[in-house]
Amino acid sequence: NKVFIPEVFFTNDCLTGEDVVKSTRVLGDLDGVFQDKEAYGKMNKEQAVYHVSSYLPVLENTPGGLFMGITTLYPGKVGQEYFMTKGHFHSNSDRAEFYWGVEGEGFLILMDERRNVWAERMFPGSLHYIPGKVAHRVANTGYQKLVFSACWPSDAGHDYATIADAGFARRLVDVNGVPTLV
Ligand code: PA5
Ligand code: NI
């Protein structure tokens, strides 16, 4: 009667264990992402914007497998635009994904291939189904860290280039204290 102990553990904002990959995006990694170049230019490029810890139990591109990640996105703004993730389509474009809110508050910003943009409010317990062919990025609109988790197919892949080239068609900015898509 063996009792097996899992190899990966999660706290509220991080995964820990073997096969967990951790990465950090500092402001300097997000050159070209925010609209206000002047405000961006004056900020400390070493400042962390978000951390991701991902559990990759199978090799990238394995058909039928799943990955899981936890992202911690710090509060902050570049000019009037909230700190946000880079955002991406999936390389295998029809692959879907779940995001769910764990801590803090913000918005999931979504864009389809026709460049229609909409947003869903994220909060602890919010669940978000991101269909295939829909780009996704998250903005922290609160004053504390925003933690969310994600589960995606191991053969989804990340296509950052399309967003790096053309961006999202709308941005989430602070208009008189109200998060507004413009
Ligand atoms: O797989 C996902 O969609 C997430 O784990 C993201 O990779 C994570 O939130 C970081 O965002 P991005 O990959 O857009 O920098
Ligand atoms: Ni994704």
Side-chain angles (χ1 to χ4, degrees):
N1 288 350
K2 268 193 180 164
V3 175
F4 292 97
I5 302 213
E7 286 172 11
V8 174
F9 301 87
F10 59 94
T11 58
N12 280 343
D13 64 357
C14 195
L15 291 164
T16 308
E18 273 192 34
D19 300 322
V20 171
V21 177
K22 297 187 184 191
S23 66
T24 298
R25 299 269 194 208
V26 296
L27 257 184
D29 297 321
L30 302 176
D31 197 7
V33 169
F34 297 97
Q35 182 153 51
D36 190 335
K37 307 288 174 231
E38 201 184 324
Y40 178 80
K42 290 179 188 156
M43 293 174 76
N44 173 12
K45 301 300 176 295
E46 303 300 314
Q47 186 183 347
V49 180
Y50 57 101
H51 303 291
V52 186
S53 55
S54 305
Y55 176 34
L56 314 174
V58 294
L59 285 176
E60 181 93 37
N61 274 323
T62 303
L66 291 173
F67 291 156
M68 169 157 175
I70 298 184
T71 301
T72 299
L73 174 59
Y74 292 107
K77 278 187 277 186
V78 178
Q80 292 306 111
E81 195 170 8
Y82 301 99
F83 274 14
M84 59 185 178
T85 59
K86 278 185 128 173
H88 56 270
F89 286 98
H90 290 153
S91 311
N92 261 323
S93 62
D94 66 354
R95 300 302 193 265
E97 182 164 6
F98 275 119
Y99 275 14
W100 60 99
V102 173
E103 191 183 328
E105 53 189 277
F107 283 85
L108 168 61
I109 305 164
L110 300 154
M111 180 173 76
D112 67 20
E113 287 186 315
R114 299 171 66 188
R115 298 186 59 74
N116 296 309
V117 175
W118 67 103
E120 295 178 5
R121 205 166 74 80
M122 291 186 102
F123 51 90
S126 66
L127 181 64
H128 310 269
Y129 179 72
I130 302 165
K133 304 187 181 184
V134 172
H136 38 289
R137 89 160 16 137
V138 172
N140 185 342
T141 55
Y143 297 99
Q144 48 172 325
K145 66 185 182 184
L146 168 62
V147 182
F148 65 94
S149 205
C151 183
W152 67 101
S154 45
D155 62 354
H158 293 79
D159 165 19
Y160 293 106
T162 305
I163 297 303
D165 290 349
F168 275 62
R170 295 164 85 189
R171 295 173 175 277
L172 194 69
V173 297
D174 176 336
V175 178
N176 301 320
V178 181
T180 309
L181 270 181
V182 296

